[in-house]
Amino acid sequence: MGRVKLLREDGLRHDGRKPDELRPIRMQVGVLNKASGSALVEYGATKVLAAVHGPREIPQKHLLLPNRAILRCRYHMLTFSTHERKSPAPSRREIELSKVIREALEPVVMAEVFPRTAIDIFIEVINADGGTRTASVTAASLALADAGIPMRDLVVGVAVGKVDGVLVLDIDEVEDMYGEADMPVAVAPSLGLVTLLQLNGVLTREEFDEALKLALKGAQVIYNIARETLKSRYLGVKVEE
Amino acid sequence: MGRVKLLREDGLRHDGRKPDELRPIRMQVGVLNKASGSALVEYGATKVLAAVHGPREIPQKHLLLPNRAILRCRYHMLTFSTHERKSPAPSRREIELSKVIREALEPVVMAEVFPRTAIDIFIEVINADGGTRTASVTAASLALADAGIPMRDLVVGVAVGKVDGVLVLDIDEVEDMYGEADMPVAVAPSLGLVTLLQLNGVLTREEFDEALKLALKGAQVIYNIARETLKSRYLGVKVEE
Amino acid sequence: MGRVKLLREDGLRHDGRKPDELRPIRMQVGVLNKASGSALVEYGATKVLAAVHGPREIPQKHLLLPNRAILRCRYHMLTFSTHERKSPAPSRREIELSKVIREALEPVVMAEVFPRTAIDIFIEVINADGGTRTASVTAASLALADAGIPMRDLVVGVAVGKVDGVLVLDIDEVEDMYGEADMPVAVAPSLGLVTLLQLNGVLTREEFDEALKLALKGAQVIYNIARETLKSRYLGVKVEE
Amino acid sequence: MSVTPSAEITVPKLRSATILSMLKKGLRASGRGLTDFRPIEIVPGYVPNADGSALVKLGNTVVIAGVKLEVGSPYPDTPNEGALVVSAEFMPTASPTFEPGPPDENAIELARVIDRSLREIKAIDMEKLVIVPGRRVWVVYVDIYVLDHDGNLVDASSIAALAALMDTKLPKVEVDELGNVKVDRNSRSGPLQLRHKVVTVSIAKAENVLFVDPDIEEERVCETKLVITVSDDGRIAGMQKSGLGALSVEEVVRATEIALKVSKDLLVIVEKSLTRPT
Amino acid sequence: MSVTPSAEITVPKLRSATILSMLKKGLRASGRGLTDFRPIEIVPGYVPNADGSALVKLGNTVVIAGVKLEVGSPYPDTPNEGALVVSAEFMPTASPTFEPGPPDENAIELARVIDRSLREIKAIDMEKLVIVPGRRVWVVYVDIYVLDHDGNLVDASSIAALAALMDTKLPKVEVDELGNVKVDRNSRSGPLQLRHKVVTVSIAKAENVLFVDPDIEEERVCETKLVITVSDDGRIAGMQKSGLGALSVEEVVRATEIALKVSKDLLVIVEKSLTRPT
Amino acid sequence: MSVTPSAEITVPKLRSATILSMLKKGLRASGRGLTDFRPIEIVPGYVPNADGSALVKLGNTVVIAGVKLEVGSPYPDTPNEGALVVSAEFMPTASPTFEPGPPDENAIELARVIDRSLREIKAIDMEKLVIVPGRRVWVVYVDIYVLDHDGNLVDASSIAALAALMDTKLPKVEVDELGNVKVDRNSRSGPLQLRHKVVTVSIAKAENVLFVDPDIEEERVCETKLVITVSDDGRIAGMQKSGLGALSVEEVVRATEIALKVSKDLLVIVEKSLTRPT
């Protein structure tokens, strides 16, 4: 297998981006009718749908907590979202990411407002081109806001990678597959909190510090788009009334 | 694979039947001891056992309905009932047929008489030679009657097929496999209602109308046998007393 | 596959034991912190850990009995405990042995003392070199005692086998695999009761009677070790106070 | 076991009375005629990683279908044909009452109805899907996901499945001298060949009135449904009574007539969506 | 996890007292002697699509066993032998307390007891089941279904399994020069070869009395059971204590004696059912 | 679905207040310093039937890891490398709150964190695991069982996995001219080659204080954890925030510093346990 060249001679990435450049980001909220809240988020060709049901009562009473709402979260990939067809059975990866994404949202959801209820978050990866878990955090965050769930801050996600020895922002599938490291990060920028942090790959301490800074920078841009999306929807609703 | 010839030169079918002729039909009720009701039904070499438990309380209270009994139905094939050994895991076909058969019985069972209970119908295909779902409807209907469940009518089933361009009644496995269409039908003859209708195959509108008539004709014959079977059992019980 | 020779010319077994000789037996109780009781039992290279939780309440109320505690028992093999890696999915063998071991313990546990509770017994086979089910009975029995569950007697297990035509005590994996019969037995020696008895293989009636005697003889030795183990722990606790 | 469903989301009594009393007069609460479909929007090629895909909106019902082609072995009894596998899932995004997990009987029934619609009439030219005769063929996976549920999932899914198949392009393959197949999904050898186009028309029955494309409220008050598959040459290519109730013979015949008529418009709509530049 | 069972269907107190007090006197509520079996009816060849089958009624207990032969690979350590797979299911038709679903521990135990009964004594001549030495062999699937449960399922099942195996005829096979095997189930090459016949005899214990063939009421009041497999040459070919209670050593020995005696009659009954023209 | 956990076993209020108020002062209820691990005991070769194994006690936490080598096919995209499969189970022996059954999300996360720790830095020399190039390779199964749970399962498991791998000896194999592989587990061809050694250091956060190796009570009162994998050459080879809470950027950086320092001692301890005569 020939080594894939991820950085071009002009220092740009295989798709023409600069190392610290995001892919085109698109967001839309309120895309579904039967959910309490929903959002569609695209990072380049990565396309993720999130829906929220709740806060609501559930038959599984033993799961509920007396002092807060529980979050239930499923990260799920459509079979045709990936290069090779994904088996419909839940993969260990999907189970892990469901947990990691839930734990990225827990710090900002004001769950104490709705004791003895469940807030259910369903994430469907429609097309996977790298960064699905970080786009999922962003989409889930928007869907929660769209559902009117009070939150301390929006959480947004972005991955930093290392390819051909260089740290790059918002890696896509090819960069993830052939790169040396993938570091997904989710942050609540106004709170200054990191709520998701994974590193798959190897970095020196210096590289790690730099990668973290790059992620924060990218997250801030995505955060601004997310807030803008919610604001224009809110304004839109106003106008319609 | 050589094309199988399903109609002989004399216009009769591969087993010597005329196009509108049923296979030998045998029925027996009360064949099991521990069930509330039971029936064994044979259409030619197709052999189906149905058992009914209930109306009864069940631990899964959340399934129950306040204004009627629920029906629960399982269509299940023994591993050695088919030409090739059937895997013991429930197939998608078995799941679909369990639903289709339940929905064929729902219109005649007077479920409103037993609110907050379950009526369970277990169908075991002992030998499969075509027409198992329609024989199952007939057997389940007899088992329900044997269990003393009040019913608006008996439902009986029969399949019509198209083989070598000709519509034929009560198709067997070979005719199903190599024929052009298989149309299982279940009817409640006294009510004039079609309670199960599927078409697997392609028919013109004219063929469809003709096939439906043929099915109704066959169903009437089976209906008469079913009523005779119940009557003789009832008389038999009387005599024994 | 060449026939394996299990008896040497001097009449000793492949590992140098006499026909009626046990392997080195080691027992230890209270080996775990979070369980109500626990024991580690070794018959030669066979190594089994048992833990008991309870008597305790459980969420599955429908399983509980009004007049006694229920026993719940799982016999489970670690994937690397066997020669070939064991699949992590529960095997039919594990399911059967869980039942057989539970039923070997039922006669001695004074379950009537703790109505409407569950006593849970978890057995982990760490290394399997023959006799895992009988070592499991012994370990479970010690773990129950360590948990302070009142018992009518200790139950201990040992297997007798037939190899090269000779009855031998406490067979190991090789003797089990290439021998002619394997007869695991568990007894409550003070009560004079056989609580587990299986025969996998073929014996004449005379051989069976002799095998049973040999098992009882071995069990008595194991019983003495088990009682000694509990006594020294009890004394040990005393001293520590 | 198949269990009598509880009415998960009940339609308010007043609303359901309105729907039914209007139906009796041949009218629908939405203002639609009895044989009118809701607006249909089709976005072919919605999923780049699929070999073919379509997003379909039927009113507020949203369905995605995607096609993936995989190299596999042919069935022993059809060594020179490709294979077709249709599955469907009702996503928890689509309704507060849908639970995540493997497809339930409703999703399985839907998938099997669409599978038979495509299979019985040989909609796909299976013989064109042979890669190494007798040994390697294309397996066509059609996966249908219901994302938003506002009624008539079967027809929305059948339209999505058809549109996704019409959008499908076969990946290029290389076969070496040993018969090993190498797939290159970045190049395409051409579109999937369809011999027939089919759609389902679900006829709902309530108050002895038959009508098409029930929305979710109409579905909850109607007695039963008859799903009828119609092919582009006007034949009946499948049928399935679905739901608790029953139909008279006369109603069955009338439903068939409606389906044969309405299906023509549906096929035109699908056709157009695929040929317009997207 | 194996769990102490709750007495799903309890025998009325008075009835259970009667059964036990009669047993104490060596009598049974049914009038049977302690070593009497209920009437046994065997219908070999009950299932045309099976390669061998038998319907067995033991009193009101009804069991079907069917045999299917499939071409498979031998186990690596026995390359020149066929394989045997025994399974059992307790059907929900058999008792209001049986749930549909995969076999529970009772069904698994039953299947494994019968599997070992047949396997350990090499009841089937496994070497006769080789089709292509080292590569293709017959796999013998014995599937047992309990249809009606009135006690003593193990013995009814062991009789059914034996009768089904005795009824089994091997399908004809053709092997081409490449070693590919083609099965023709419409012709038969001959009966399955059995080297030994075995039956189980389940001895129940209550009030320190041992008796055979317990019906369902007797099972519910008895303390434990000892299942003993006996071969046609009078050897003990398997054993399994099953149930909550225990036996004394003396009881074990006595149970063995009973089983050795009773088994002879059972084997004669099976033999006869298979040789009479059906 | 991943669900917010209920605090299965709650720490008594007074105890939890003590732990937290001491932490605020930089002290721990156990008397340990903030960067002190509990005593570590490693027993390599604990399981004779494993190809490599280790029992690890970290305070009262007990974990067994075992390695089994099986001959398998390489992944298509790495035809000349062996494969690694890591799994973990939390045994019901370890805690009254653990249920038997397939691994839950916590066990799966733990296994995947350790899998990536080993995989990303290529700790195992995968190219040394080829038996028949392109066709047959060793698959390295690392199975981790938590037997007693007193907190910090990840670090105990990562130590156990590393020690088990260091204990692993490859079975001898013979390859015949047809490429068939025969394994002889009774002889060994040599130790498994490791290119790197890695351990995880889990940093807990409570009251804005960071500390290592939380015991079970500390885990229950802490807000979140950051698991950091460090390699023997002082690089960061993996990271995972785990738990409900969040960290500030400054805390992330500080945690990394702590992990880099502490990991050196851990690696020395593992190294020693494997070289001392056992």
Side-chain angles (χ1 to χ4, degrees), chain C residues 140-187:
Chain C
S141 191
L142 285 171
L144 285 162
D146 184 44
I149 313 271
M151 294 164 80
R152 293 185 184 81
D153 196 2
L154 286 179
V155 189
V156 294
V158 72
V160 167
K162 182 178 167 193
V163 302
D164 295 351
V166 174
L167 295 173
V168 298
L169 186 62
D170 186 23
I171 57 175
D172 66 15
E173 186 72 14
V174 167
E175 291 174 327
D176 185 5
M177 196 176 306
Y178 301 106
E180 296 116 65
D182 165 33
M183 188 172 95
V185 180
V187 294

Side-chain angles (χ1 to χ4, degrees), chain C residues 44-237:
Chain C
T46 287
K47 202 179 287 197
V48 171
L49 176 73
V52 168
H53 295 301
R56 59 176 177 177
E57 300 195 344
I58 54 169
Q60 305 90 326
K61 301 293 178 207
H62 63 284
L63 293 178
L64 295 176
L65 293 175
N67 57 338
R68 56 164 290 181
I70 56 167
L71 300 195
R72 299 194 296 177
C73 177
R74 187 178 79 148
Y75 166 95
H76 176 257
M77 304 187 92
L78 306 194
T79 53
F80 43 74
S81 66
T82 49
H83 202 69
E84 298 297 314
R85 179 171 187 268
K86 197 209 152 275
S87 153
S91 65
R92 283 159 43 113
R93 180 179 170 277
E94 285 174 307
I95 292 169
E96 184 198 354
L97 291 193
S98 296
K99 176 177 189 282
V100 164
I101 291 168
R102 178 180 56 74
E103 292 180 344
L105 299 166
E106 296 267 12
V108 298
V109 175
M110 293 172 71
E112 61 280 10
V113 179
F114 308 103
R116 305 206 63 79
T117 66
I119 298 169
D120 291 344
I121 304 156
F122 295 105
I123 295 162
E124 306 300 336
V125 176
I126 293 172
N127 199 67
D129 189 32
T132 61
R133 85 191 66 183
T134 46
S136 293
V137 170
T138 307
S141 191
L142 285 171
L144 285 162
D146 184 44
I149 313 271
M151 294 164 80
R152 293 185 184 81
D153 196 2
L154 286 179
V155 189
V156 294
V158 72
V160 167
K162 182 178 167 193
V163 302
D164 295 351
V166 174
L167 295 173
V168 298
L169 186 62
D170 186 23
I171 57 175
D172 66 15
E173 186 72 14
V174 167
E175 291 174 327
D176 185 5
M177 196 176 306
Y178 301 106
E180 296 116 65
D182 165 33
M183 188 172 95
V185 180
V187 294
S190 302
L191 302 176
L193 287 178
V194 176
T195 69
L196 180 158
L197 177 55
Q198 294 184 292
L199 169 61
N200 313 318
V202 185
L203 295 177
T204 65
R205 211 207 123 169
E206 295 69 31
E207 286 169 337
F208 172 72
D209 288 353
E210 200 193 323
L212 196 55
K213 276 190 208 117
L214 190 54
L216 293 170
K217 193 180 136 191
Q220 188 62 50
V221 178
I222 295 170
Y223 185 65
N224 294 341
I225 301 171
R227 288 209 303 184
E228 214 50 52
T229 305
L230 283 174
K231 212 197 294 179
S232 60
R233 169 142 172 104
Y234 180 70
L235 290 172
V237 171

Side-chain angles (χ1 to χ4, degrees), chain B residues 83-85, chain E residues 51 67-75 81-85 129-141 170-176 179-185 189:
Chain B
H83 203 68
E84 299 297 314
R85 179 170 187 269
Chain E
D51 296 318
V67 175
K68 273 290 200 184
L69 294 160
E70 296 209 328
V71 178
S73 302
Y75 291 112
E81 296 184 13
L84 171 68
V85 180
L129 297 181
V130 176
I131 301 170
V132 183
R135 292 201 31 234
R136 306 306 279 163
V137 299
W138 284 117
V139 182
V140 180
Y141 287 93
L170 297 174
K172 271 231 172 93
V173 288
E174 274 175 50
V175 183
D176 69 16
N180 295 318
V181 178
K182 219 179 130 182
V183 177
D184 175 10
R185 275 186 207 280
S189 66

Side-chain angles (χ1 to χ4, degrees), chain E residues 256-277:
Chain E
T256 312
E257 280 163 23
I258 296 170
L260 285 168
K261 212 162 70 186
V262 171
S263 60
K264 281 183 197 143
D265 300 335
L266 288 181
L267 283 165
V268 168
I269 288 169
V270 178
E271 200 76 56
K272 266 192 194 151
S273 78
L274 271 287
T275 48
R276 75 163 177 227

